[in-house]
Each structure stands twice: as structure tokens, then as C-alpha cells.
């Protein structure tokens, strides 16, 4: 392979030998086409005309007055399909077409990546097969229906914790048997090289836009950038625009679930240790025997025991810090943004909002300028939130 895909000691390629030719083919295609004029022209057109870029950088005036800080929201929730996931699926879907593949497979937790893969498959004329934990199928029924409407075949995974981790395992198994025709469209910055670098590249449009927009609006860089972190794609996308600016504090917000003192959470960097999961070395949640622990979060998209290796690296060099937010805190933030700004955030994004509230309340952070990446909208979470609030729909 051309590169080792390492971020410090993290990352790399830890896959069965059978997968190496497919990984090598993907690496060669990614570095060949990412600077190809025809490819980038087509990618830019799809991002603009199909997905709806650029997204706005919205000044949340009411929330800002309430908290005593300047809060800006990067509105990835305004994209086609309702989340940042579409940026990456357009990029990888197009790459798969240039590689001559006829089928996309994907895993999904909250369903947003599955929907984004389904629609780009429909647009580009590629078959789509989605693997989704049966627990997530049940709590994200609306998104399953949306995938099927776009022609995708949704395969419930009824093993293990029946969530994102298990759907990824199934997707890898299927890929090994169908390498000639199929591209595995991984939705986040995890997996073997080149996936972490490739997903970051396709999501870096968030950071590039946000950096330009905040300078236009404020005449300076923000003090702080906050984003939720499951696998870490939306966070890596916006962090990439500011990671070289040491004056900008980068904060990733993990799923604290029912609290990090117990086992029912997904706070990987906060409570995890070094280990290998889904093809790369990163920080993961595991028991003393090295077995992957089950995770728990009210947000399906953060219900994952690993994190992208570049996040592990940024943590190790103290360039970014990672904090947990509980289910209850995320639900409070969900309601707060609805009531102060009339914006319904995804439960994943609600974790980032919740930490922004906590952060802004500290006296030393008053009057700071903060960007929160609003990675998705909360339509998909209505039934979960209603149930948590004791409301029958």
C-alpha cells in the first residue's frame, strides 16, 4: 500500500488477508481520483445541486443571550436527507462508480448514513444493501422505511448487542464474499486505512465552510468548536478546518448514556483503552479479557464502542479533548434548542448542544465565540423523545 494510514500509533490496517486486495484497490482509487478534475467537478456539483451545500453558519441569538456566549450552529441538519452523512456518501458513491462497482453496502445505527447511501445509490444507479442492528431497526422505523423507498435492501442484524457494532461485523462478512462487484461505504472515520482519511476528506467541506463563514461574520476565528462523537465523522469534518489553529479549542462530546460510572454508556475515549476494532488500532470499550463491551445511548448514532483513530491521536497529543454527556442532559438540550431557536436537533447533535450549555455557564468562558456542529435534524428521533418524555404519539 502507498501509505500506512497511521495517526501517531493509531490507525493502520488490521483486516483478514482476503480483504487486502480490496483495501489496496480502494486506496489506489481514492488517491487517484480525489485530485482528478473530472471527479472533483462532479463531486462539487452533487454537493451543491443534490445535497444543498453550502450549509449556513447560523447565529443562535436567543440561545446566545440565555448563555452569555456567542453560539453559532453549523447547519448540517439542512442538507438533503437531514444530516452531514450525505457529504461522505456522495464522495464514496461517486468513487465506487469510477471504480466500476455495481453495488454499495453500508452499515447504519441511527439510519442517517443508511438513508444517505440509499439515495446516492438511487441517484447513481447502484444497488444498495444496508446492514442495521435489529434494536436500531426497531427504534428507527421511519428511517428504515425511507431507505426502502429509495430502493435499498435493509438487513436486520440480530446478533450481539443488535446495534451498530454488530451491523459493521455483518457488512465486513458480506463484503469479503462480494469484493468484485461491491464497495463497502463506511459512514464514519473508523475502519482500516484508507477509510479514516477518506471519510475525513469527504467531510472536510464542513470545516472549510465553517472557517470561512465565521471569519466573514466575526472577523476572527472562534474560541471553541464543539461536535458530538460516535465514530467521529462530523467532528472530524469540522475539526479539520481548525486543527492547525492552536488558539481554537476543539471539544468532542461522547455518549455518557446513563452515566460513565456504570457500563451503560458509549464514552469511548473517556473510559476506553487502546485496542483493535473493525480494522484499526484506536481507543475502544473492552473488558479485562479484551472482549468488546456492549454500549448504550439514547442516540443510536453514538451507540458504538470505538472511535476513529485520528480522534484517539488528537486526544493523545491533547489537541482535542473529549467529554461525556448523559442521556438526560442530551434530552434537556434537545428541548432547549427547540424552545429557544425553533430548531429540532438530532439526539446525536443534542449531546454537543448540551455540552455547549455546560461550557458556556462557566465564568471563564463567558462571551466566548462557539461553533456547534449541528450534525443532523431530529425528525428521526421524535418517537424516542416522545417516549422519554412520557408523551404518546
Amino acid at each position: 500500500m502507498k501509505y500506512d494510514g497511521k495517526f501517531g500509533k493509531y490507525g493502520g490496517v488490521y483486516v483478514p488477508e482476503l480483504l487486502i486486495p480490496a483495501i489496496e484497490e480502494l486506496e489506489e482509487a481514492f488517491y487517484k481520483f480525489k485530485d482528478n478534475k473530472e471527479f472533483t467537478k462532479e463531486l462539487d456539483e452533487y454537493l451543491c445541486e443534490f445535497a444543498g451545500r453550502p450549509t449556513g453558519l447560523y447565529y443562535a441569538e436567543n440561545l446566545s443571550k440565555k448563555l452569555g456566549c456567542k453560539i453559532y450552529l453549523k447547519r448540517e441538519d439542512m442538507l438533503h436527507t437531514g444530516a452531514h452523512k450525505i457529504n461522505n456518501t456522495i464522495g464514496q458513491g461517486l468513487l465506487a462508480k469510477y471504480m466500476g462497482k455495481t453495488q454499495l453496502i453500508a452499515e447504519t445505527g441511527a439510519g442517517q448514513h443508511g438513508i444517505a447511501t440509499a439515495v446516492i445509490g438511487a441517484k447513481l444507479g447502484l444497488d444498495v444493501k444496508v446492514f442495521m442492528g435489529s434494536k436500531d431497526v426497531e427504534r428507527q422505523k421511519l428511517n428504515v422505511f425511507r431507505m426502502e423507498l429509495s430502493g435499498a435492501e435493509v438487513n436486520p442484524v440480530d446478533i450481539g448487542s443488535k446495534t451498530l457494532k454488530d451491523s459493521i461485523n455483518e457488512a465486513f462478512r458480506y463484503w469479503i464474499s462480494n469484493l468484485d462487484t461491491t464497495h463497502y461505504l463506511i459512514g464514519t472515520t473508523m475502519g482500516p486505512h484508507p477509510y479514516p482519511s477518506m471519510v475525513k476528506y469527504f467531510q472536510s467541506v464542513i470545516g472549510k465552510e465553517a472557517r470561512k463563514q465565521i471569519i466573514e461574520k466575526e472577523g476572527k476565528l472562534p474560541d471553541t468548536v464543539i461536535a458530538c462523537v460516535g465514530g467521529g465523522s462530523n467532528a472530524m469534518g469540522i475539526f479539520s478546518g481548525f486543527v492547525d489553529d492552536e488558539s481554537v479549542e476543539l471539544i468532542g462530546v461522547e455518549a455518557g448514556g446513563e452515566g460513565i460510572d456504570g457500563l451503560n454508556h458509549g464514552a469511548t475515549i473517556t473510559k476506553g483503552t487502546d485496542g483493535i476494532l473493525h480494522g484499526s488500532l484506536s481507543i475502544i470499550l473492552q473488558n479485562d479479557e479484551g472482549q468488546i463491551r456492549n454500549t448504550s445511548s439514547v442516540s443510536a448514532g453514538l451507540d458504538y464502542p470505538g472511535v476513529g483513530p485520528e480522534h484517539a491521536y488528537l486526544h493523545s497529543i491533547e489537541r482535542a479533548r473529549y467529554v461525556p454527556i448523559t442521556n438526560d442532559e442530551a434530552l434537556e438540550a434537545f428541548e432547549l434548542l427547540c424552545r429557544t431557536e425553533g430548531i429540532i436537533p438530532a439526539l446525536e447533535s443534542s449531546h454537543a448542544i448540551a455540552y455547549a450549555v455546560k461550557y458556556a455557564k462557566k465564568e471563564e468562558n463567558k462571551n466566548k465565540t462557539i461553533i456547534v456542529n449541528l450534525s443532523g435534524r431530529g425528525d428521526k428521533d421524535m418517537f424516542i423523545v416522545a417516549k422519554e418524555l412520557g408523551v404518546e404519539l
Side-chain angles (χ1 to χ4, degrees):
M1 296 185 72
K2 189 173 181 181
Y3 302 104
D4 64 8
K6 291 289 186 68
F7 306 94
K9 67 178 179 179
Y10 297 106
V13 179
Y14 298 87
V15 296
E17 199 169 334
L18 279 172
L19 269 181
I20 293 296
I23 295 292
E24 289 177 337
E25 179 190 22
L26 181 59
E27 185 203 47
E28 182 181 348
F30 171 57
Y31 287 105
K32 175 182 176 183
F33 290 117
K34 79 181 187 67
D35 297 320
N36 175 279
K37 285 184 180 177
E38 183 183 348
F39 180 86
T40 54
K41 181 174 181 289
E42 202 169 351
L43 176 63
D44 289 344
E45 286 175 355
Y46 277 118
L47 288 173
C48 178
E49 305 296 338
F50 185 69
R53 302 211 73 87
T55 60
L57 184 69
Y58 170 75
Y59 177 53
E61 185 176 4
N62 296 334
L63 186 62
S64 297
K65 285 179 180 173
K66 188 177 181 68
L67 299 178
C69 284
K70 281 192 169 180
I71 309 283
Y72 284 89
L73 305 176
K74 182 57 177 164
R75 297 295 305 274
E76 296 298 290
D77 60 313
M78 297 297 285
L79 287 168
H80 178 41
T81 72
H84 74 290
K85 293 292 186 182
I86 192 76
N87 304 322
N88 171 54
T89 55
I90 288 175
Q92 285 197 51
L94 203 55
L95 187 62
K97 192 171 180 181
Y98 274 64
M99 291 167 68
K101 304 296 182 183
T102 58
Q103 179 175 244
L104 303 174
I105 61 169
E107 85 298 325
T108 193
Q112 293 304 117
H113 174 57
I115 292 171
T117 305
V119 300
I120 198 61
K123 182 65 187 170
L124 298 177
L126 302 170
D127 293 334
V128 174
K129 195 182 290 288
V130 177
F131 296 89
M132 189 171 186
S134 57
K135 182 179 174 182
D136 294 334
V137 168
E138 181 60 29
R139 57 182 173 175
Q140 298 289 351
K141 289 178 183 174
L142 181 60
N143 278 349
V144 172
F145 183 53
R146 291 173 67 189
M147 286 179 242
E148 291 173 340
L149 280 177
S150 294
E153 177 187 311
V154 180
N155 296 267
V157 176
D158 203 23
I159 57 174
S161 61
K162 304 173 186 176
T163 59
L164 182 59
K165 167 177 70 73
D166 309 293
S167 62
I168 293 172
N169 290 336
E170 283 303 295
F172 269 118
R173 286 191 190 102
Y174 181 89
W175 193 29
I176 286 175
S177 302
N178 298 273
L179 293 175
D180 290 342
T181 60
T182 302
H183 171 64
Y184 179 11
L185 206 165
I186 290 180
T188 192
T189 52
M190 46 72 65
H193 172 71
Y195 281 104
S197 298
M198 183 168 62
V199 176
K200 175 187 175 182
Y201 175 78
F202 289 131
Q203 292 292 2
S204 65
V205 65
I206 306 172
K208 288 174 185 168
E209 285 180 12
R211 195 175 196 284
K212 181 181 176 189
Q213 290 166 327
I214 194 68
I215 290 174
E216 288 173 352
K217 288 175 181 288
E218 291 288 328
K220 66 182 181 69
L221 293 172
D223 296 299
T224 310
V225 174
I226 300 175
C228 65
V229 176
S233 65
N234 91 87
M236 194 52 67
I238 196 162
F239 285 2
S240 67
F242 303 95
V243 72
D244 293 330
D245 303 300
E246 291 191 3
S247 65
V248 180
E249 186 177 14
L250 305 178
I251 301 175
V253 186
E254 302 187 310
E258 296 174 11
I260 59 171
D261 292 334
L263 297 177
N264 294 324
H265 62 78
T268 307
I269 292 181
T270 306
K271 300 294 284 186
T273 51
D274 290 357
I276 293 170
L277 177 64
H278 296 141
S280 64
L281 173 64
S282 188
I283 298 174
I284 60 178
L285 292 171
Q286 55 192 326
N287 63 22
D288 292 340
E289 287 74 43
Q291 297 298 311
I292 303 303
R293 274 182 33 202
N294 288 338
T295 54
S296 174
S297 171
V298 70
S299 60
L302 303 185
D303 201 349
Y304 181 61
V307 67
E310 192 167 0
H311 283 292
Y313 171 67
L314 292 179
H315 166 70
S316 72
I317 62 171
E318 300 182 347
R319 177 62 190 94
R321 65 186 177 95
Y322 296 82
V323 296
I325 280 292
T326 66
N327 291 340
D328 289 344
E329 290 171 326
L331 286 163
E332 284 179 22
F334 179 97
E335 289 187 276
L336 177 66
L337 197 65
C338 291
R339 290 177 180 172
T340 56
E341 297 291 343
I343 295 173
I344 303 174
L347 281 172
E348 289 78 9
S349 311
S350 299
H351 284 69
I353 298 291
Y355 190 74
V357 172
K358 244 181 191 181
Y359 180 86
K361 285 181 177 175
K362 293 179 181 176
E363 193 57 37
E364 64 269 26
N365 295 329
K366 290 296 177 193
N367 300 315
K368 283 191 174 179
T369 300
I370 302 166
I371 297 178
V372 179
N373 198 31
L374 204 64
S375 56
R377 65 173 181 248
D379 308 39
K380 66 184 178 60
D381 297 318
M382 286 295 103
F383 288 102
I384 297 171
V385 174
K387 183 180 177 184
E388 294 290 334
L389 298 179
V391 177
E392 189 173 341
L393 297 179

